[in-house]
Amino acid sequence: MNWKEFCKHLDQENVKIEELKQLAERDFNKYGIYPGSINKYGESWLFIARDCCSKSLVVYGKNEYFEQFDGTEETINGKHVKICGLNDDNCSIIMKMFPYTKPVNHRGKKITMGLGDRLGLASPGHLRLIKDMPVFPVLAQQSIRELNLTGRNYRNVLSAAAWAVYQEGYTSGFGADGDHLKTPEEIKMALDNGFTMITLDCSEHIDNKAASYSQEEVNEKYMSIDEQERARLENAYLGKTFKLYDGTEITFNEDNFRRMVLVYIDAIKYTINIYNSLLKSCGRNIDFEMSIDETLTPTSPESHYFVASELIKGGVEITSLAPRFCGEFQKGIDYIGDISTFEKEFIMHVKIAKTLGYKISVHSGSDKFKVFPIVGKVTEGEYHLKTAGTNWLEAVRIIAARNPALYRRMHKFALENLEEAKKYYHISADPSNIPDIDSLADSELPALMDKDDSRQVLHITYGLILKAKNQDGTYTFKDEIYSTLHKYEQDYYNSLINHIGKHLSGLGIK
Ligand code: ZN
């Protein structure tokens, strides 16, 4: 593969960019140039090219940013050329030159989707899938847990997404979600790095114990809330009925009110404080998602209504809210639970959200094929849905198919370290259901990514796999995972297009 041979075409007089893109696409195997990445800037050309082992940004001819790029200089056809790594600093320059590579907020967009990319390699596949679909992609989406487990930071995560956007020439906008953030420091870090969405996880301020207090305890604790605050809440809710947009009623009575206040009051105060002190003042429009999905019991319609309306009164503009649904949304596998109960409860949550002016967000939305048709239909195509781990599993599928020896080592390591990984993630996988890998032929390995038990085991051990080191300090798997996925880049994109494509068709998106 040689992009240098392509350069003569750039020097043709009056050459049209569309023709160059067509040529790069037709002869991708010859030049290794991503068609969507070809851009003219002043008198210079820019594009991304791949070779055996990596990708580079090529700046062909000088422009006002030329000296700022970090890379090696060469002369080709008498032109100054810089060959630059796809690193964070070079990405910051690209964001200045091509503003569509910067993330933007998405309030007002109907279908928005979190497409977390733990390796930083999946986004081009996602973009190829959704480019002509009515889906706004939130390409960068990581929780602090994921950052820690993958050894990345928010700048890396955003750069990977922005490079993907540049590579594919995707100009319709994308988002960046600091997912499940808990503290002011975490939120500040995400905002300082240009993230456009904050998902606040206030689980540490939700009093889950209140759900099981005796009525006596409830009354006692309730009385310890400031008197004026109690009076305000009682005036606003107690004995009142609220009509949703379609006439459905939500009522608050003595039985449920005090307990509900105890569960959520601290979380509400915390959220209003965070929103007003950090998000409102940051100088950009931020999509704010309230997540109350980390409770022990499903969110009742009354609780949902109460939390959201208190936040709105406190000045919070909610873009989306994630309730805790009935049943289980486990990692990497389909929904577990009674689907008709889910539908009934989901309808109520959507009605409340529509009435109060935001969207429902579905977390751990990877592979929930049973619930997708309900989500698509009930919301009438307005929702946020988060996926992440399934994109890693598709990478594992490619490794199993293309580098079986590496997969076998990862598989054994995952099983050996399963107990450690279970500290971070709850799963129901039973390793004894997974066939002994030594008894399987190479050709049988990819099918392990179609079975729940092996999916979950490889799903939750990603951090341990990526971080494992040999005695000499080299990575046990990480470098080989990246080089395999670089070599079989197109296979990875195709498998994401196929697998996330099934999600979209389940949701009814065409
Ligand atoms: Zn969540």
Side-chain angles (χ1 to χ4, degrees), residues 68-139:
Q68 292 177 34
F69 278 109
D70 154 41
T72 52
E73 237 179 292
E74 266 187 47
T75 309
I76 300 172
N77 306 335
K79 286 243 166 50
H80 289 282
V81 179
K82 214 174 226 182
I83 303 157
C84 313
L86 304 192
N87 59 31
D88 295 344
D89 288 340
N90 289 335
C91 188
S92 301
I93 304 172
I94 284 293
M95 283 181 174
K96 279 185 220 158
M97 297 173 77
F98 303 98
Y100 62 84
T101 61
K102 277 175 79 162
V104 290
N105 77 307
H106 63 242
R107 198 171 156 82
K109 299 257 194 279
K110 294 192 166 189
I111 303 175
T112 54
M113 220 169 150
L115 296 158
D117 179 6
R118 287 174 183 162
L119 295 167
L121 301 174
S123 296
H126 294 140
L127 291 174
R128 288 180 194 188
L129 171 65
I130 59 110
K131 65 178 190 298
D132 298 318
M133 291 182 175
V135 178
F136 178 93
V138 177
L139 297 176

Side-chain angles (χ1 to χ4, degrees), residues 202-214:
C202 42
S203 52
E204 282 162 16
H205 302 270
I206 288 177
D207 187 0
N208 268 310
K209 292 193 300 296
S212 50
Y213 287 156
S214 69

Side-chain angles (χ1 to χ4, degrees), residues 231-415:
R232 183 185 72 78
L233 292 171
E234 286 170 11
N235 267 327
Y237 299 96
L238 204 52
K240 299 253 157 61
T241 297
F242 296 87
K243 272 208 163 86
L244 303 181
Y245 75 93
D246 70 329
T248 307
E249 295 180 345
I250 304 266
T251 50
F252 295 88
N253 54 44
E254 295 275 359
D255 289 345
N256 61 23
F257 184 71
R258 290 183 170 193
R259 192 181 298 273
M260 188 181 70
V261 170
L262 287 176
V263 174
Y264 293 104
I265 192 75
D266 287 346
I268 291 167
K269 280 190 202 152
Y270 183 71
T271 305
I272 292 173
N273 189 10
I274 289 266
Y275 184 88
N276 287 317
S277 62
L278 293 175
L279 276 75
K280 229 177 173 169
S281 60
C282 87
R284 295 184 286 130
N285 285 326
I286 303 297
D287 292 309
F288 178 72
E289 175 162 313
M290 176 69 169
S291 79
I292 48 172
D293 63 325
E294 309 268 326
T295 53
L296 296 175
T297 48
T299 312
S300 69
E302 293 79 17
S303 301
H304 176 170
Y305 189 91
F306 172 66
V307 170
S309 59
E310 279 301 296
L311 293 183
I312 292 167
K313 280 183 202 164
V316 179
E317 258 197 65
I318 308 171
T319 296
S320 45
L321 182 145
R324 156 90 153 83
F325 302 115
C326 63
E328 285 193 63
F329 282 70
Q330 283 191 24
K331 300 294 171 186
I333 60 170
D334 210 333
Y335 175 73
I336 302 172
D338 182 57
I339 198 72
S340 63
T341 311
F342 170 82
E343 178 164 16
K344 225 171 70 207
E345 297 187 6
F346 190 72
I347 289 171
M348 275 305 284
H349 287 304
V350 170
K351 281 184 187 173
I352 296 169
K354 275 202 172 159
T355 304
L356 298 177
Y358 51 86
K359 300 194 296 188
I360 288 296
S361 177
V362 179
H363 286 200
S364 301
S366 297
D367 305 291
K368 302 300 177 292
F369 295 101
K370 285 181 202 156
V371 313
F372 290 154
I374 297 170
V375 170
K377 184 184 77 190
V378 171
T379 62
E380 296 174 305
E382 276 188 68
Y383 53 84
H384 186 73
L385 182 112
K386 297 196 187 195
T387 69
T390 207
N391 302 311
W392 152 255
L393 286 177
E394 289 310 301
V396 175
R397 188 193 299 277
I398 297 307
I399 293 166
R402 296 297 194 174
N403 190 345
L406 171 61
Y407 177 78
R408 286 177 190 278
R409 289 194 291 123
M410 286 164 57
H411 182 102
K412 286 180 182 169
F413 178 88
L415 286 173

